[in-house]
Amino acid sequence: MGLSLAAFYRFAAFDPAELPPLRQSLLACGEAGGVRGTVLLAPEGVNGTVSGPAEAVEALLELLRADPRLAALEVKRAEAPQQAFHRLKVRLKREIVTLGDASLRPYLAASVGRHVAPDQWEALIRDPDTLVVDTRNAYEVALGSFDDAIDPGTTSFRQFPAWVEQQLRPLVEQRRPKAIALFCTGGIRCEKATAHLLQQGFEGVHHLHGGILRYLEERPQLGSSWRGECFVFDQRVAVNHQLEPGEASLCHGCRMPLTAADRQLPSYAEGVSCRHCVDRQNSADRLRYAERQRQMALARQRGEDHLGRRFPVPPSSGG
């Protein structure tokens, strides 16, 4: 029987003293129902991805929503064919999505950019006076993005502020756009990125409400500016426009996502290496990964579930 998977977040102001008791309540609720995954708690809100029996996942979400500050929790749901996580972790952090600036107040409406609904997004980004920015990491952008979106080329969200000063600011000064439209997977990164831009004096800042996943859920593919697949931080790896599992897979050696073309390259060896990591591995690494892959193949032949199949995905920035 399939499991329910939920990715969620909400920016909200918490006193640090409130978080340890909330952590214990979430652990007790989740463990009682067999929920696994990761939940991050910080003075700026909550962010997590969990999977488990549908009723248990809903119970965890309802526990969060019981707090009026989290009543409007942003949730993306999907079915999971198997449990993708080993255990439930609830962690206390400085930020629920790490930009490196805990002084931002993204839970204040005046501190973030204008929310743009999926049905208004196309008109905004097709306007020649709009600068469209993908706030995700480069390995995510490589699988798919919106037409003509700018790729900052970052490997972590922490690098976004430096990119803003080094490249975005000069570009804005040159082009003088009427609007800057930011987007990400589920809405959390682009929402916080707008808070940073506004703090730095940028104007006309917008972000896609609910992120790419809500856009794909609500907008038909015909006439869409979206191209490719959307990377997701779970065992599906990526989804297509119909929110079905896509063709991308993960390299067991480095956990980076791979396209079908990547898997045709000489650098790719299933379970061992890919174009991202082949030059970083030594002979001992390759032997170890090859043996793991052999054990997984044997487990499949015996109809067993090998732990190595449940390898973690790249470190999440939260969606």
Side-chain angles (χ1 to χ4, degrees):
M1 182 173 127
L3 303 174
S4 176
L5 187 147
F8 53 88
Y9 83 91
R10 179 70 177 172
F11 287 113
F14 281 89
D15 187 295
E18 297 179 272
L19 300 179
L22 178 57
R23 175 180 181 271
Q24 292 303 318
S25 296
L26 291 171
L27 282 170
C29 178
E31 290 174 350
V35 175
R36 300 178 187 176
T38 299
V39 181
L40 305 180
L41 302 175
E44 67 176 9
V46 59
N47 175 25
T49 302
V50 299
S51 67
E55 291 184 0
V57 170
E58 288 306 311
L60 187 75
L61 296 176
E62 286 306 312
L63 174 60
L64 290 168
R65 291 197 186 100
D67 188 313
R69 292 167 292 186
L70 303 176
L73 196 69
E74 181 76 28
V75 182
K76 304 292 186 307
R77 292 179 174 83
E79 291 184 1
Q82 64 180 12
Q83 180 56 264
F85 306 103
H86 299 309
R87 60 190 178 94
L88 177 63
K89 295 177 286 186
V90 183
R91 294 176 171 171
L92 305 182
K93 309 284 284 186
R94 293 185 65 202
E95 303 173 75
I96 58 172
V97 57
T98 305
L99 189 63
D101 184 359
S103 70
L104 294 176
R105 300 292 182 265
Y107 44 78
L108 299 177
S111 297
V112 297
R114 177 185 172 189
H115 288 73
V116 181
D119 62 354
Q120 300 174 328
W121 181 249
E122 286 290 339
L124 175 65
I125 66 174
R126 293 188 184 197
D127 188 324
D129 287 325
T130 297
L131 207 59
V132 186
V133 179
D134 194 331
T135 63
R136 300 173 301 155
N137 297 318
Y139 63 81
E140 300 170 76
V141 180
L143 296 185
S145 192
F146 286 102
D147 286 339
D148 302 320
I150 297 171
D151 173 14
T154 56
T155 57
S156 76
F157 193 45
R158 275 184 173 274
Q159 297 173 350
F160 186 76
W163 175 81
V164 167
E165 290 307 311
Q166 296 167 10
Q167 298 189 46
L168 182 61
R169 190 178 295 280
L171 184 61
V172 168
E173 292 174 354
Q174 175 188 355
R175 292 180 53 174
R176 300 291 178 181
K178 293 181 180 178
I180 304 174
L182 280 60
F183 66 92
C184 62
T185 307
I188 185 171
R189 280 177 284 180
C190 54
E191 185 168 357
K192 190 163 186 180
T194 65
H196 175 74
L197 291 188
L198 290 175
Q199 185 190 69
Q200 298 303 311
F202 290 85
E203 299 178 346
V205 181
H206 302 68
H207 62 101
L208 177 58
H209 184 52
I212 301 163
L213 294 179
R214 175 169 288 183
Y215 171 91
L216 297 180
E217 181 180 7
E218 298 185 7
R219 301 296 296 165
Q221 187 168 2
L222 183 65
S224 171
S225 297
W226 175 261
R227 302 289 179 265
E229 298 179 353
C230 178
F231 180 84
V232 290
F233 293 94
D234 59 62
Q235 294 294 82
R236 294 173 296 171
V237 183
V239 295
N240 59 24
H241 208 292
Q242 290 72 42
L243 295 178
E244 302 165 338
E247 296 182 353
S249 63
L250 286 184
C251 172
H252 280 246
C254 67
R255 301 184 293 157
M256 288 291 103
L258 305 174
T259 64
D262 291 333
R263 295 193 294 271
Q264 298 301 314
L265 297 174
S267 55
Y268 176 70
E270 184 180 4
V272 179
S273 65
C274 71
R275 67 180 180 88
H276 299 288
C277 64
V278 66
D279 292 332
R280 303 200 306 266
Q281 293 179 350
N282 56 39
S283 58
D285 290 331
R286 287 189 288 272
L287 286 173
R288 185 171 70 255
Y289 297 151
E291 176 59 22
R292 178 181 59 185
Q293 185 64 22
R294 189 181 74 84
Q295 293 295 331
M296 288 169 59
L298 290 173
R300 282 196 297 266
Q301 291 175 10
R302 296 191 295 262
E304 299 174 354
D305 184 21
H306 191 277
L307 185 63
R309 295 182 62 192
R310 300 182 181 180
F311 53 93
V313 295
S316 171
S317 295

